[in-house]
Amino acid sequence: MANNQCDDDDDASGCGLQLTCFSQPSDHDDNVTLHFHILRLHKQIYAWIGCNSAKFGHLYAAAPIPPSNTVGVTSLIGGSSDNTGSAIARRLVLKTGLNIVLACNIPKNTPILEANAEKMLVQKLISLGYTKPKI
Amino acid sequence: MEVSDPVFPIRNTMLSLNIKEHKTDIVISSYEDHFLVIATQIGSMGTILHARKEEGVSVDPTFSVSVVFGKRDEPMLVACARQLIEHISNSGLSKALVLSLGLRDHSTETLKGIVTAVIEKFAEDGKVLRSLIRKAILLECAVGSEECCRADPGDFKNFHGRDAREFHPITVMNTM
């Protein structure tokens, strides 16, 4: 796993980037390798999930909608008939409280794989300290 | 600064520079079919644009650039994406571009600074990649001499009956 950060403590705006990349075989199928690419910005997280390939996939943006606890999700690239990844983006907002931009090339109609990928990604976000503390 | 694990399928480069006295962080990620370029001064991705070369029969390439998220009334951002996709196309690559610009201002100077920095980084990475491809070709070459492999693999010419595009960067790195 490569974990690198580019922080600048002198910048009052707090512009700092942390990049984390890792790969893991799927829990349910040894023939599937999931790749994850996480970029932490000051007010946002960009994440990419790759399934056996390095294709970019579909791109989604999700953000919390104050004052309620709802989350808005939209597809930016692709995703009009295949929303794999949009639900992941939505739940990442709930877990982190941050705006999320998610790219994902998980094939459609693979809910187990999608759930597996989300679980791995969330576990990594927790270990990196990017999620909201549980009250 | 190259930050990728050699076995990770995405090649990432991070750099930081000052443009008009604002710290600008740039991340360039090379996917199989896209480049992702994030340039931020404000701690977020800002406006996101998608640019690609259009398939066509014309000799002169045409490009499609659209804002997929954020400010749709800033032509300078579109021009920035257009310059970068044209450079990618002129380098012989067919990848599309996702460009994210989170900037304090959209002045010509700022955008020129970003375009220049990104193009310089592409050029550096291109040299590294061509060097790796050349080494991989030498490994495959029965004669094993650089004399046999003079043609620039960036032109994707055939070497001993093989197309240099077979040498995907990951394959190249695995043969080293």
Side-chain angles (χ1 to χ4, degrees):
Chain A
M1 180 193 78
N3 192 333
N4 203 289
Q5 60 186 70
C6 180
D7 284 322
D8 183 0
D9 294 331
D10 299 329
D11 188 342
S13 73
C15 284
L17 304 183
Q18 289 182 308
L19 181 64
T20 304
C21 303
F22 68 102
S23 300
Q24 251 179 271
S26 165
D27 290 342
H28 297 279
D29 186 346
D30 288 339
N31 292 325
V32 173
T33 301
L34 294 166
H35 306 289
F36 299 87
H37 175 193
I38 304 167
L39 181 67
R40 172 72 153 101
L41 298 102
H42 179 56
K43 308 173 195 173
Q44 202 167 31
I45 290 175
Y46 163 78
W48 170 78
I49 305 174
C51 174
N52 275 348
S53 89
K55 288 194 160 118
F56 189 69
H58 299 157
L59 186 67
Y60 305 90
I65 303 176
S68 60
N69 224 9
T70 53
V71 175
V73 189
T74 185
S75 162
L76 304 183
I77 297 174
S80 51
S81 59
D82 166 12
N83 285 324
T84 309
S86 64
I88 298 178
R90 184 182 155 275
R91 286 190 286 271
L92 290 179
V93 171
L94 292 171
K95 288 267 190 315
T96 62
L98 296 171
N99 296 341
I100 297 288
V101 175
L102 175 75
C104 172
N105 71 18
I106 295 176
K108 59 181 176 181
N109 301 325
T110 55
I112 295 177
L113 187 56
E114 194 178 337
N116 192 199
E118 182 182 337
K119 182 178 149 199
M120 288 182 185
L121 179 57
V122 168
Q123 279 174 348
K124 178 55 74 175
L125 293 178
I126 291 171
S127 74
L128 290 170
Y130 295 168
T131 52
K132 287 190 291 191
K134 288 184 183 173
I135 299 173
Chain B
M1 178 176 62
E2 170 65 53
V3 297
S4 288
D5 185 332
V7 297
F8 192 73
I10 310 301
R11 186 182 168 87
N12 295 296
T13 305
M14 292 171 80
L15 61 148
S16 190
L17 62 156
N18 276 320
I19 298 177
K20 289 175 76 176
E21 295 180 0
H22 295 307
K23 179 174 177 280
T24 309
D25 294 311
I26 298 178
V27 179
I28 302 172
S29 299
S30 176
Y31 295 85
E32 186 179 317
D33 55 350
H34 277 77
F35 281 109
L36 170 68
V37 176
I38 299 173
T40 181
Q41 297 173 332
I42 59 173
S44 65
M45 290 177 73
T47 298
I48 303 175
L49 302 99
H50 189 218
R52 60 185 186 280
K53 185 177 165 184
E54 302 263 275
E55 296 298 325
V57 296
S58 166
V59 173
D60 297 321
T62 53
F63 304 98
S64 159
V65 182
S66 58
V67 177
V68 299
F69 187 82
K71 288 184 177 290
R72 293 167 197 272
D73 56 354
E74 287 280 358
M76 290 303 294
L77 302 184
V78 175
C80 181
R82 173 71 171 72
Q83 275 207 289
L84 289 175
I85 189 65
E86 187 171 357
H87 176 82
I88 290 168
S89 171
N90 290 342
S91 303
L93 297 168
S94 58
K95 292 187 188 184
L97 168 69
V98 175
L99 174 65
S100 147
L101 296 169
L103 306 172
R104 291 181 189 270
D105 70 86
H106 297 149
S107 64
T108 309
E109 187 183 341
T110 297
L111 291 162
K112 262 182 144 172
I114 288 167
V115 169
T116 302
V118 172
I119 286 178
E120 276 175 8
K121 195 45 74 172
F122 277 152
E124 270 177 39
D125 289 351
K127 279 185 196 160
V128 168
L129 186 57
R130 281 195 289 277
S131 167
L132 287 171
I133 289 176
R134 187 180 294 279
K135 284 181 187 166
I137 290 167
L138 287 174
L139 286 171
E140 291 281 339
C141 173
V143 177
S145 159
E146 194 158 354
E147 294 294 316
C148 298
C149 306
R150 277 190 186 277
D152 186 346
D155 294 331
F156 302 121
K157 288 182 183 154
N158 286 326
F159 296 95
H160 314 293
R162 296 186 68 179
D163 190 326
R165 278 172 290 190
E166 289 179 38
F167 294 97
H168 186 278
I170 299 301
T171 307
V172 166
M173 284 172 170
N174 287 340
T175 62
M176 302 305 291

